[in-house]
Amino acid sequence: MTEDDPVATDDLLTIGAFAARARLSAKALRLYDRLGLLAPAYVDELTGYRYYRSDQVERARLVALLRQLDMPLARVAEIVEAVGTDGALAAERLAAYWAGAEERFASQRALVGYLRGRLTGRDPAMDATHGTDGTNSSNGTNPADGAGAGACGTFVVETVDTAAQVVLTQARHLLVDELPAWIGASLGRLEEGAAACGGTAGAPFVVYHSEVSLESDGPAESCVPVSDPDAARRWAAEQGRAQGAGVRVEPARRLAYTRITKAQVAYPQIAAAFEAVERWIAARGLEVVGPCREVYFADWDAAGPEDPVCDVAFPVAS
């Protein structure tokens, strides 16, 4: 019997015959074996030839189909391992992977639209505006009339005036791949603290005092506005210090901002939004007077990829 014989005895198939049934190449089967996704039923110790059972065809086809979704091999392994014991769990894992993929595609689509406008020199407005009443839902105030609003790439940029706020804060030096987990954790801790300070008094936001990227580590500062300044100072002195948290006054500001969806928050897509606001500011001869920020005005967990969740903003001179 040779490795490319059509069928072996005892219900074992040579790698060539099995590859034909599974509609895969022998090279792909050797790769799946090496990665632990589909091991042969038997390997001849003398010749090294691989043999498969006919009932392994379905698993081989499933692996190949999942790979057509550009699914990482580790995720493929999680799904195919669950198939044998819990088909519903395997389906849930597939659905979770695809939800994440759709979110990535949405963010990449937005970035492509921005880059096309930039490369062609056009400045197309977004199809949708920020609502029918001209308000910024992060704080309920009207955009300022002085600087006006306009499109920059596929981003609509406006200005809004914000009042002074007392905020609980926590700062950290970190790189961009650490940022998503840290933002969620730090804002969660500060919101728990705000509950002891009369509750939150506005949308939480993250201030970037220096660039956070693959090479630059900030720092970034999470901020949660609170209702009771005196209680906030007591909390910071009694409990916040152990967490590296503090309290400060965020001054009244005029912000130039653009609103982005949950999908667009992903790095590097969000960088296009920051750049669009900077270009809008420069085109109008305005002066940036503070660090840039992200204002998270929506329920992140409840939002879908296309739902607006965040304002990317720069403080500008009034």
Coordinates of all heavy atoms in Angstrom, one line a residue, residues 62-63 65-72 75-80 82-83 86-102 104:
L62 N -15.3 20.8 7.9 CA -15.7 21.9 8.8 C -14.5 22.8 9.0 O -14.6 24.1 9.0 CB -16.2 21.4 10.1 CG -16.4 22.4 11.2 CD1 -17.5 23.4 10.8 CD2 -16.8 21.7 12.5
V63 N -13.3 22.2 9.2 CA -12.1 23.0 9.4 C -11.9 23.9 8.1 O -11.6 25.1 8.3 CB -10.9 22.1 9.6 CG1 -9.6 22.9 9.6 CG2 -11.0 21.4 11.0
L65 N -14.0 25.0 5.9 CA -15.1 26.0 5.8 C -14.8 27.2 6.8 O -14.9 28.3 6.5 CB -16.4 25.4 6.1 CG -17.0 24.5 4.9 CD1 -18.2 23.8 5.4 CD2 -17.2 25.3 3.7
L66 N -14.4 26.8 8.0 CA -14.1 27.9 9.0 C -12.9 28.7 8.6 O -12.9 29.9 8.8 CB -13.8 27.2 10.4 CG -15.1 26.6 11.0 CD1 -14.7 25.8 12.3 CD2 -16.1 27.6 11.3
R67 N -11.9 28.1 7.9 CA -10.8 28.8 7.5 C -11.1 29.8 6.4 O -10.5 30.8 6.2 CB -9.7 27.8 7.0 CG -9.0 27.1 8.1 CD -8.2 28.0 9.0 NE -7.0 28.4 8.3 CZ -6.3 29.5 8.6 NH1 -6.7 30.3 9.5 NH2 -5.2 29.8 7.9
Q68 N -12.2 29.5 5.6 CA -12.6 30.4 4.6 C -13.2 31.7 5.1 O -13.3 32.6 4.4 CB -13.7 29.7 3.7 CG -13.1 28.6 2.8 CD -14.1 28.0 1.8 OE1 -15.0 28.7 1.4 NE2 -14.0 26.7 1.5
L69 N -13.5 31.7 6.4 CA -13.9 32.9 7.1 C -12.8 33.7 7.6 O -13.0 34.6 8.4 CB -14.9 32.5 8.3 CG -16.2 31.8 7.9 CD1 -16.9 31.4 9.2 CD2 -17.0 32.7 7.0
D70 N -11.5 33.3 7.2 CA -10.3 33.9 7.7 C -10.2 33.8 9.3 O -9.7 34.7 9.9 CB -10.2 35.4 7.3 CG -10.1 35.6 5.9 OD1 -9.4 34.8 5.3 OD2 -10.6 36.6 5.3
M71 N -10.7 32.7 9.8 CA -10.7 32.5 11.2 C -9.3 32.0 11.7 O -8.8 31.1 11.0 CB -11.8 31.4 11.6 CG -11.9 31.2 13.1 SD -13.2 30.0 13.5 CE -14.7 30.9 13.1
P72 N -8.8 32.6 12.7 CA -7.5 32.1 13.2 C -7.6 30.7 13.6 O -8.6 30.2 14.0 CB -7.2 33.0 14.4 CG -8.1 34.2 14.2 CD -9.3 33.8 13.4
R75 N -9.0 29.8 17.0 CA -10.5 29.8 17.1 C -11.1 28.6 16.4 O -12.2 28.1 16.8 CB -11.0 31.1 16.5 CG -10.5 32.4 17.1 CD -11.1 32.5 18.6 NE -12.5 32.8 18.6 CZ -13.0 34.0 18.5 NH1 -12.3 35.1 18.4 NH2 -14.4 34.1 18.6
V76 N -10.5 28.2 15.3 CA -11.0 27.0 14.6 C -11.0 25.8 15.5 O -11.9 25.0 15.6 CB -10.2 26.7 13.3 CG1 -10.6 25.4 12.7 CG2 -10.4 27.8 12.3
A77 N -9.9 25.7 16.2 CA -9.7 24.6 17.2 C -10.8 24.6 18.2 O -11.3 23.5 18.6 CB -8.3 24.6 17.8
E78 N -11.1 25.8 18.8 CA -12.1 25.9 19.8 C -13.5 25.4 19.3 O -14.2 24.7 20.0 CB -12.2 27.3 20.3 CG -11.0 27.8 21.1 CD -11.2 29.3 21.4 OE1 -12.2 29.9 21.1 OE2 -10.2 29.8 22.0
I79 N -13.8 25.7 18.1 CA -15.1 25.3 17.5 C -15.2 23.9 17.2 O -16.1 23.2 17.6 CB -15.4 26.2 16.3 CG1 -15.6 27.7 16.7 CG2 -16.6 25.7 15.6 CD1 -15.8 28.6 15.6
V80 N -14.2 23.3 16.5 CA -14.2 21.9 16.1 C -14.2 21.0 17.3 O -14.7 19.9 17.3 CB -13.1 21.6 15.1 CG1 -13.3 22.3 13.8 CG2 -11.7 21.8 15.7
A82 N -15.5 21.7 20.2 CA -16.9 21.7 20.8 C -17.9 20.9 20.0 O -18.9 20.5 20.6 CB -17.3 23.2 21.0
V83 N -17.7 20.8 18.7 CA -18.7 20.1 17.9 C -19.0 18.7 18.4 O -20.2 18.3 18.4 CB -18.2 20.0 16.4 CG1 -19.1 19.1 15.6 CG2 -18.2 21.4 15.8
D86 N -20.9 19.5 22.1 CA -21.9 20.5 22.3 C -22.0 21.3 21.1 O -21.3 22.3 20.9 CB -21.5 21.3 23.6 CG -22.7 22.2 24.0 OD1 -23.6 22.5 23.2 OD2 -22.7 22.7 25.2
G87 N -22.9 20.9 20.2 CA -23.1 21.7 19.0 C -23.5 23.1 19.2 O -23.1 24.0 18.4
A88 N -24.4 23.3 20.2 CA -24.9 24.7 20.5 C -23.7 25.6 20.9 O -23.7 26.7 20.5 CB -25.9 24.6 21.6
L89 N -22.8 25.0 21.7 CA -21.6 25.8 22.1 C -20.8 26.2 20.9 O -20.3 27.3 20.8 CB -20.8 25.0 23.2 CG -19.5 25.7 23.6 CD1 -19.8 27.1 24.3 CD2 -18.8 24.8 24.6
A90 N -20.6 25.2 20.0 CA -19.8 25.5 18.8 C -20.5 26.6 18.0 O -19.8 27.5 17.5 CB -19.7 24.2 18.0
A91 N -21.8 26.6 17.9 CA -22.5 27.6 17.1 C -22.4 29.0 17.8 O -22.2 30.0 17.2 CB -24.0 27.2 17.0
E92 N -22.4 29.0 19.2 CA -22.2 30.2 19.9 C -20.8 30.8 19.7 O -20.7 32.0 19.5 CB -22.5 30.0 21.4 CG -23.9 29.7 21.8 CD -24.1 29.4 23.2 OE1 -23.0 29.5 24.0 OE2 -25.2 29.1 23.7
R93 N -19.8 30.0 19.6 CA -18.5 30.4 19.4 C -18.3 31.0 18.0 O -17.6 32.0 17.8 CB -17.5 29.3 19.6 CG -17.3 28.9 21.1 CD -16.4 27.7 21.3 NE -16.2 27.5 22.8 CZ -15.5 26.4 23.3 NH1 -15.0 25.5 22.4 NH2 -15.4 26.3 24.6
L94 N -18.9 30.3 17.0 CA -18.9 30.8 15.7 C -19.6 32.2 15.6 O -19.1 33.1 15.0 CB -19.6 29.9 14.7 CG -19.8 30.3 13.3 CD1 -18.5 30.6 12.6 CD2 -20.6 29.3 12.5
A95 N -20.8 32.3 16.2 CA -21.5 33.6 16.2 C -20.7 34.7 16.9 O -20.7 35.9 16.4 CB -22.8 33.4 16.9
A96 N -20.0 34.4 18.0 CA -19.2 35.4 18.6 C -18.0 35.8 17.8 O -17.7 37.0 17.7 CB -18.6 34.8 20.0
Y97 N -17.4 34.9 17.1 CA -16.3 35.3 16.2 C -16.8 36.2 15.0 O -16.2 37.2 14.7 CB -15.7 34.0 15.5 CG -14.8 34.3 14.4 CD1 -13.5 34.9 14.6 CD2 -15.2 34.2 13.0 CE1 -12.7 35.2 13.5 CE2 -14.4 34.5 12.0 CZ -13.2 35.0 12.2 OH -12.4 35.4 11.1
W98 N -18.0 35.8 14.5 CA -18.4 36.6 13.3 C -18.9 38.0 13.8 O -18.8 38.9 13.0 CB -19.6 35.9 12.6 CG -19.9 36.5 11.3 CD1 -21.0 37.1 10.9 CD2 -19.0 36.6 10.2 NE1 -20.9 37.7 9.7 CE2 -19.7 37.4 9.2 CE3 -17.7 36.2 9.9 CZ2 -19.1 37.7 7.9 CZ3 -17.1 36.5 8.7 CH2 -17.8 37.2 7.7
A99 N -19.5 38.1 14.9 CA -19.9 39.4 15.4 C -18.6 40.3 15.5 O -18.7 41.5 15.2 CB -20.5 39.3 16.8
G100 N -17.5 39.8 16.0 CA -16.3 40.5 16.1 C -15.8 40.9 14.7 O -15.3 42.0 14.5
A101 N -15.9 39.9 13.8 CA -15.4 40.2 12.4 C -16.2 41.3 11.8 O -15.7 42.2 11.1 CB -15.5 38.9 11.6
E102 N -17.5 41.3 12.0 CA -18.4 42.3 11.4 C -18.0 43.7 12.0 O -18.1 44.7 11.3 CB -19.9 42.0 11.6 CG -20.4 40.9 10.7 CD -21.8 40.6 10.9 OE1 -22.4 40.8 12.0 OE2 -22.5 40.3 9.9
R104 N -15.1 44.6 13.0 CA -13.8 45.0 12.4 C -14.0 45.5 11.0 O -13.5 46.5 10.5 CB -12.8 43.8 12.4 CG -12.3 43.4 13.8 CD -11.1 42.5 13.6 NE -11.4 41.2 13.0 CZ -12.0 40.2 13.6 NH1 -12.3 40.2 14.8 NH2 -12.3 39.1 12.9

